[in-house]
Amino acid sequence: MKFRHQNFSSLRVTLCALVVLSLGFLFARAYAPANADVPAKTVHGIQVANIDTSVVPGDDFYHYANGEWIKRTVIPPDRAGMGVFTTLADLTNKRTAAIIEEAAKQKAAAGSDSRKIADLYNAYMDEAGIEAKGLAPLKPHLDAIAAIKDKHELAHELGETLRADVDALNNTNFHTPNLFGLWVAPGFNDSEHYAAYLLQGGIELPDREYYLSDAASMKDARTKYVAHVAAMLKLAGFTDTDARAKRIFDLEHAIAEKHTPLAENEDIHKANNTWKAADFDAKAPGLEWAEYFRGAGLSQQKEFTVWQPTAFTAESALVASQPLETWKDWLAYHLIAEYAGVLPKALADENFAFFGKTLFGTPQQRPRWQRGVFVVDRWLGDAVGKIYAARYFPPEAKAKAQEMVANITAAFRKRIEALPWMAAATKAEAQEKLNTLYVGIGYPEHWHEYTAFEVKADDAFGNLWRGSLFEYHRDVARLGKPVDRKEWSMSPQTVNAVNLPLQNGLNFPAAILQPPFFDPKAPDAVNYGAIGSVIGHEISHTFDSEGSAFDSKGRVRNWWTEADLEHFNAATAKLAAQYDTYKPFPDLSINGKQTLAENIADVAGIAASYDGYCASLGGKPGPEQQGFTSDQQFFIAFAQDYGSKTRDAALRAQVMGDSHSPGQYRAATVRNIDAWYDAFKVKPGEKLYLAPQDRVRIW
Ligand SMILES: [Zn+2]
């Protein structure tokens, strides 16, 4: 589970990079690689200028800590939102852009990483070349779809679209527009070897709710979506586009009705369904599975973990029951949508008009160079990351971060030992999980290599096509092989952090270990409040509603007693209920169940980081700075991690389709921590006040 919501659109831009990171905050507005190293921040501590002293901390801690920043921040037209840490994300992006620019100047040897970085970027930037090719790159693929003459061939073609574009537990991406998605990861029942997980797919809109919800905004999005599909088909040379678009929508609607909701996708035990390849015909009749697997290059694979069995049964039945022509139109539209970013401008603009403007409320697209940087990050992330880490992550930063991890891990150990409700054997296994936990700081020990990824200087479409196949083939080739527990799932230049439950590992990329999250020159209180609570958050996932399903070796094993589980479920139900009461919109509440694992991690993370901080002081009080006590600095730094401003449409998308609560509600979790009440003299009657017995304590 990753620390931070990136945004839905980043999921659907893995290929087309069109609606790039509309919520991801990752890009600078101006291109200034020459100044890439201008320090983003000179204050080593909390951002006092962001605090709104007119807000009572006990009423609304988020607006107290971030109110002035929110008041003065205007969301640029090419973004769906901004965060307090945007300067950090912008700096990281400028550095990455500079690395790409240097690679472009090197005229490196063909086949080298530098040459690939340069060619991938330049081909993407060559809008004139893309325009001149017109629809030619699409043509062979559309011809292949048009030539499908029966459901047997359809099954093969559907198999050919399978990609490794979902990730159920690490980066938690449950969305693929392809019929299904493949995730290759350590096995639930054999964590020593890589296994094949299959996840539901088939819809373009972010989540089933977009098809099913009665909310006016969703009905409106549906109407506009059908018009958008028709427009895209027309631009791609299709006739009778209104009728085709309606049929494509109806098919997606039928698929969405059978999709498992996001809130249920996080239940490991419901997902642990082993199907032998030979079982699929009986368990999910309709699709010709042998042909599907042949198309996917998976004929040798003997078994799969099917995450949402009911969706597989339903989607397979739809392959049989719905007309061949509808499926062919669905395939054609999904292909066009996926590659719109490297097709002529008219298609790219129409795609942004719907997915950027209508769905996320972003008026304007990011400059192309920023999208180009994203494409390189996406497909050659480690090639760029290797240079990034060597240049921007000094050993002193690594040492300081490791010291914090050690203190926070020790705090977790004490908390677990002191739990009155947990059985001794369960505690022992929990401690063992901490013993074997791999904590990756900054960058991985092994890098992905890209020898087999062919990149051409004049073929933007082909580069992305081959990139997605290269990743797919790399993952398929790993099936059955021994697991590398130290493998990373994020590049060093990612401003995020992640827990990898099947590897019992954590990744803290170099890019998040910078101000305002982490500043070796800032007081410890600030670092523990800001990055320490992120570290605690990720460690907590080791034991939370998902982590508790995996033992110290990453195996799915019930190592909790019934009584442990009962207590845990009761405590966490209280937290789910707390989050259910938050209403970002009059017609839309936070879903406490859907966001539970992340909310638990937030409570536990801040609690453990606070303990780790206190332990680091060795019994002495922490120093005051900037007019705030050390405890006040700790909690303000925590809340300032989450300062953000988001367009309504994008916020709705997050509430419905993400397992993280919006920042405002994540910051409010301080109300569960006793020390916060003392630090800010929070009194009964104030809006966030909870009586001691109502505060949720998990660990
Ligand atoms: Zn998380």
Side-chain angles (χ1 to χ4, degrees):
M1 308 286 279
K2 67 192 174 203
F3 165 64
R4 189 161 76 77
H5 161 71
Q6 220 119 9
N7 77 322
F8 165 75
S9 60
S10 71
L11 312 180
R12 78 165 312 288
V13 294
T14 49
L15 288 169
C16 67
L18 253 176
V19 198
V20 169
L21 295 170
S22 55
L23 272 184
F25 317 124
L26 286 181
F27 289 118
R29 292 204 65 215
Y31 185 39
N35 296 323
D37 270 340
V38 172
K41 169 168 173 280
T42 44
V43 183
H44 302 289
I46 53 168
Q47 302 297 303
V48 177
N50 293 358
I51 296 173
D52 183 349
T53 49
S54 72
V55 178
V56 177
D59 278 340
D60 183 347
F61 195 61
Y62 170 82
H63 280 98
Y64 166 76
N66 299 293
E68 286 300 327
W69 179 87
I70 291 168
K71 280 184 213 164
R72 69 173 180 265
T73 298
V74 178
I75 302 173
D78 60 353
R79 298 188 190 202
M82 296 279 283
V84 162
F85 51 84
T86 297
T87 35
L88 162 61
D90 288 352
L91 177 66
T92 301
N93 183 50
K94 282 181 193 169
R95 288 169 169 175
T96 306
I99 289 169
I100 293 169
E101 203 179 58
E102 280 170 34
K105 279 188 196 141
Q106 276 174 14
K107 309 237 178 304
S112 65
D113 277 1
S114 289
R115 179 68 173 269
K116 283 178 188 181
I117 290 170
D119 287 352
L120 183 60
Y121 182 75
N122 288 334
Y124 183 83
M125 292 303 290
D126 182 13
E127 288 183 273
I130 291 170
E131 209 61 35
K133 284 187 182 173
L135 298 172
L138 270 183
K139 185 138 196 323
H141 304 291
L142 289 177
D143 287 351
I145 293 168
I148 296 170
K149 57 179 192 302
D150 54 30
K151 294 283 174 81
H152 180 78
E153 291 183 3
L154 174 66
H156 190 93
E157 183 73 22
L158 288 168
E160 284 194 4
T161 64
L162 185 65
R163 291 292 181 275
D165 58 356
V166 288
D167 173 343
L169 291 175
N170 298 341
N171 289 298
T172 46
N173 169 13
F174 286 97
H175 185 272
T176 172
N178 299 324
L179 189 65
F180 304 118
L182 176 73
W183 183 46
V184 174
F188 271 163
N189 310 304
D190 170 13
S191 60
E192 307 283 310
H193 297 93
Y194 289 106
Y197 296 83
L198 287 175
L199 275 66
Q200 70 189 13
I203 58 175
E204 286 280 350
L205 295 179
D207 182 80
R208 70 196 291 271
E209 284 301 303
Y210 279 79
Y211 295 86
L212 308 177
S213 164
D214 285 333
S217 63
M218 293 295 103
K219 286 183 180 162
D220 182 50
R222 291 198 280 273
T223 307
K224 288 177 175 153
Y225 176 57
V226 177
H228 162 71
V229 174
M232 291 292 279
L233 291 172
K234 198 167 190 180
L235 288 168
F238 284 77
T239 56
D240 197 19
T241 51
D242 288 347
R244 286 180 202 258
K246 178 75 171 63
R247 289 194 294 265
I248 291 167
F249 175 80
D250 288 345
L251 176 54
E252 290 189 8
H253 185 274
I255 292 171
E257 279 185 311
K258 305 296 182 184
H259 263 199
T260 300
L262 190 57
E264 285 171 41
N265 276 334
E266 316 228 316
D267 187 331
I268 302 306
H269 300 289
K270 283 188 188 158
N272 191 4
N273 311 290
T274 304
W275 289 15
K276 305 263 182 232
D279 294 343
F280 280 73
D281 281 337
K283 290 182 188 274
L287 176 64
E288 284 188 36
W289 285 99
E291 201 52 34
Y292 178 85
F293 288 132
R294 196 166 299 131
L298 286 170
S299 293
Q300 306 303 315
Q301 184 62 19
K302 298 271 186 294
E303 62 180 39
F304 298 85
T305 298
V306 175
W307 206 273
Q308 308 100 341
T310 52
F312 276 73
T313 304
E315 292 195 54
S316 179
L318 285 167
V319 174
S321 68
Q322 298 306 301
L324 179 65
E325 291 308 313
T326 302
W327 277 107
K328 287 165 69 170
D329 287 342
W330 175 93
L331 271 171
Y333 169 65
H334 282 220
L335 172 77
I336 297 160
E338 192 74 346
Y339 286 90
V342 284
L343 289 171
K345 192 169 181 308
L347 280 153
D349 286 351
E350 171 59 34
N351 203 46
F352 179 78
F354 180 74
F355 283 102
K357 281 187 205 164
T358 304
L359 272 196
F360 290 92
T362 316
Q364 195 176 303
Q365 189 150 217
R366 297 288 178 97
R368 191 158 185 103
W369 74 265
Q370 293 182 4
R371 289 177 274 148
V373 170
F374 175 74
V375 166
V376 176
D377 255 343
R378 172 69 185 82
W379 300 110
L380 291 169
D382 271 19
V384 174
K386 204 188 283 188
I387 303 168
Y388 184 94
R391 204 172 284 181
Y392 298 115
F393 194 60
E396 311 84 76
K398 184 160 180 152
K400 175 79 188 167
Q402 280 170 326
E403 178 195 311
M404 289 180 67
V405 169
N407 283 337
I408 295 166
T409 309
F412 260 104
R413 282 190 192 288
K414 283 202 187 124
R415 282 185 163 262
I416 287 165
E417 218 37 70
L419 285 177
W421 52 269
M422 194 182 254
T426 315
K427 285 182 182 175
E429 182 64 26
Q431 299 289 6
E432 183 57 20
K433 273 199 96 165
L434 284 175
N435 290 340
T436 57
L437 185 69
Y438 162 70
V439 184
I441 303 279
Y443 49 87
E445 283 152 63
H446 316 291
W447 299 94
H448 279 156
E449 61 94 30
Y450 299 95
T451 312
F453 176 22
E454 190 189 6
V455 182
K456 296 182 184 171
D458 61 351
D459 187 9
F461 181 100
N463 289 341
L464 300 201
W465 180 273
R466 286 186 295 273
S468 79
L469 270 178
F470 165 72
E471 280 199 353
Y472 178 72
H473 290 145
R474 182 179 62 200
D475 271 359
V476 168
R478 297 198 304 177
L479 288 168
K481 302 256 165 63
V483 164
D484 171 8
R485 280 198 51 232
K486 295 184 173 174
E487 192 188 19
W488 277 48
S489 85
M490 274 179 181
S491 70
Q493 64 275 28
T494 308
V495 185
N496 213 330
V498 66
N499 179 303
L500 315 169
L502 289 159
Q503 294 165 228
N504 196 24
L506 312 179
N507 300 164
F508 296 99
I512 200 173
L513 296 168
Q514 301 184 76
F517 289 103
F518 175 64
D519 178 0
K521 294 198 180 104
D524 280 353
V526 176
N527 280 325
Y528 277 90
I531 194 72
S533 57
V534 178
I535 294 169
H537 172 110
E538 295 306 335
I539 296 175
S540 164
H541 279 315
T542 308
F543 311 108
D544 68 12
S545 43
E546 290 206 348
S548 61
F550 304 97
D551 70 9
S552 56
K553 296 202 162 57
R555 294 172 300 203
V556 172
R557 186 164 72 80
N558 228 341
W559 50 278
W560 288 41
T561 66
E562 279 299 314
D564 293 337
L565 206 58
E566 254 169 51
H567 179 95
F568 180 77
N569 287 340
T572 59
K574 244 166 94 176
L575 191 64
Q578 192 179 101
Y579 275 77
D580 278 337
T581 64
Y582 296 137
K583 272 177 122 46
F585 299 96
D587 63 345
L588 186 64
S589 307
I590 304 288
N591 182 333
K593 189 180 171 206
Q594 175 182 309
T595 54
L596 183 58
E598 294 304 327
N599 299 333
I600 294 170
D602 284 341
V603 177
I606 187 174
S609 186
Y610 182 77
D611 286 0
Y613 172 58
C614 293
S616 78
L617 293 170
K620 293 187 229 82
E624 276 194 31
Q625 182 169 308
Q626 300 166 285
F628 293 88
T629 67
S630 59
D631 276 13
Q632 287 173 336
Q633 292 172 59
F634 174 91
F635 288 108
I636 291 169
F638 168 78
Q640 288 186 339
D641 279 357
Y642 298 105
S644 60
K645 201 159 177 173
T646 311
R647 295 183 194 282
D648 280 357
L651 188 60
R652 273 184 186 274
Q654 184 183 356
V655 173
M656 284 187 289
D658 197 270
S659 52
H660 301 80
S661 306
Q664 176 174 352
Y665 309 102
R666 296 184 72 175
T669 207
V670 291
R671 68 198 301 204
N672 295 302
I673 309 293
D674 295 340
W676 173 74
Y677 289 80
D678 297 337
F680 292 94
K681 311 271 180 286
V682 178
K683 293 183 284 295
E686 292 176 354
K687 293 195 184 84
L688 290 175
Y689 180 86
L690 292 171
Q693 70 274 14
D694 295 331
R695 297 171 198 164
V696 178
R697 297 161 221 270
I698 312 242
W699 309 115

